Amino acid sequence: LAHAQRNTLSTQATNKGTWINEEERGEKKKREKREKRKVVVIAGPTGVGKTQVSLALARLIQNQQQNQNQLEETNLDVHKVEAEMISADSVQVYRGLDVGSRKVSRAMQCGVSHHLIDVLPPTQQYSAGDFYSQAREKTEEILKRGNVPVVVGGTGFWLRWYVKGRPTTPKSNESTRKRAQELIQQAIASSSASSASASASDEKPQELELVELVEKKEKEEEEGRWANATALLEEAGDAETAARLSKNDYFRLER
């Protein structure tokens, strides 16, 4: 009988310990869920209402936090969770370019913190790599403050880097840029020389007006220059990018 009683007490203690452990695990999961880091991304073209949605979301996050505090009857020392915006717009990053980019004004921000707006003058270059580094840095700062980062913008290239990570391609430097410029200029010069030689040997059609002839020649020369320039990418083994580039986008071709 004593042996059976000891077994019963042992089983009760074990069950109680199991119940306590399960309760602790449940509380731990709830705590981890509350502490889980969240980042919101709102993407889309200019004029679809991203700014209005982001500000409405900021108010929603703030209201939910207030309701949560009331339900839990927390004191006034509790951290107030807020949303902070990170702009992913390749135009809004520049100071002074307000109208065409539909940049959110100070009044429209409604007290919500906005980052990566009016960062530098239009005379300076701001690359996808710059955005990636600074946006990720701002994200970490916001999360450490216990707030929610909301990335808002329509520059898809930047957003892909932000979400999926930076590509492992080597970073550009001054010598490689100069070499790329030289190769492109050589390709353009070669095309112009070939076009001039061909036009010198061709007989001018009598039925064409002079203006039409000039326009036709200019178009052929332009197409020839671009074809020769993109051939550099094809020779380098990247025919897919060469075909995808917008016509006469020499900046992207150089990159």
Side-chain angles (χ1 to χ4, degrees):
L1 180 62
H3 178 70
Q5 288 177 339
R6 281 197 299 272
N7 286 344
T8 301
L9 292 172
S10 176
T11 302
Q12 289 175 348
T14 302
N15 290 339
K16 184 178 180 182
T18 303
W19 180 77
I20 292 172
N21 288 339
E22 289 295 334
E23 186 179 35
E24 289 176 351
R25 276 194 289 269
E27 288 298 322
K28 185 179 179 182
K29 286 182 179 179
K30 289 180 182 179
R31 191 164 56 249
E32 288 175 350
K33 186 176 180 180
R34 286 196 300 268
E35 294 173 354
K36 187 177 180 181
R37 308 196 316 170
K38 296 180 178 68
V39 179
V40 180
V41 176
I42 302 174
T46 302
V48 297
K50 297 187 299 296
T51 299
Q52 289 82 353
V53 170
S54 65
L55 293 173
L57 178 62
R59 289 192 293 271
L60 179 63
I61 291 172
Q62 185 174 349
N63 291 338
Q64 282 188 340
Q65 177 66 21
Q66 291 174 350
N67 294 336
Q68 182 72 18
N69 292 344
Q70 291 172 0
L71 288 172
E72 295 178 357
E73 297 182 352
T74 53
N75 56 43
L76 296 177
D77 294 331
V78 71
H79 171 68
K80 182 180 178 182
V81 177
E82 296 181 348
E84 296 189 39
M85 307 300 161
I86 300 175
S87 172
D89 191 294
S90 59
V91 181
Q92 293 187 12
V93 71
Y94 292 108
R95 292 192 290 269
L97 304 183
D98 300 343
V99 178
S101 65
R102 301 191 69 172
K103 188 183 298 180
V104 57
S105 64
R106 290 286 182 186
M108 290 175 61
Q109 291 177 15
C110 303
V112 178
S113 298
H114 283 67
H115 307 279
L116 301 189
I117 292 178
D118 293 334
V119 175
L120 71 170
T123 52
Q124 294 184 21
Q125 189 178 25
Y126 192 85
S127 66
D130 295 326
F131 168 77
Y132 174 82
S133 301
Q134 294 182 17
R136 285 297 187 96
E137 183 180 344
K138 290 294 181 184
T139 299
E140 290 297 328
E141 292 174 2
I142 294 168
L143 289 170
K144 285 178 181 177
R145 286 194 285 270
N147 291 334
V148 181
V150 180
V151 184
V152 187
T155 306
F157 184 48
W158 288 11
L159 289 169
R160 281 195 298 273
W161 277 33
Y162 178 84
V163 174
K164 297 184 178 180
R166 186 172 182 169
T168 56
T169 50
K171 191 174 180 180
S172 175
N173 57 61
E174 190 65 26
S175 61
T176 56
R177 281 196 297 271
K178 286 184 177 179
R179 180 55 181 159
Q181 291 170 356
E182 290 172 0
L183 289 171
I184 292 172
Q185 291 303 320
Q186 289 172 10
I188 292 173
S190 174
S191 174
S192 299
S194 300
S195 177
S197 175
S199 61
S201 60
D202 291 344
E203 293 184 4
K204 295 181 180 179
Q206 297 298 320
E207 67 273 10
L208 288 176
E209 295 286 342
L210 179 60
V211 174
E212 293 175 341
L213 183 63
V214 170
E215 288 177 350
K216 181 182 178 182
K217 181 183 177 184
E218 288 178 347
K219 184 178 180 181
E220 289 175 349
E221 289 178 351
E222 180 183 278
E223 290 176 349
R225 288 194 295 269
W226 180 245
N228 274 21
T230 52
L232 295 169
L233 263 183
E234 295 176 3
E235 292 170 5
D238 196 358
E240 182 183 347
T241 301
R244 191 174 64 243
L245 284 176
S246 299
K247 188 177 179 181
N248 296 330
D249 190 352
Y250 285 97
F251 175 78
R252 292 295 301 278
L253 176 62
E254 179 186 318
R255 293 303 297 267

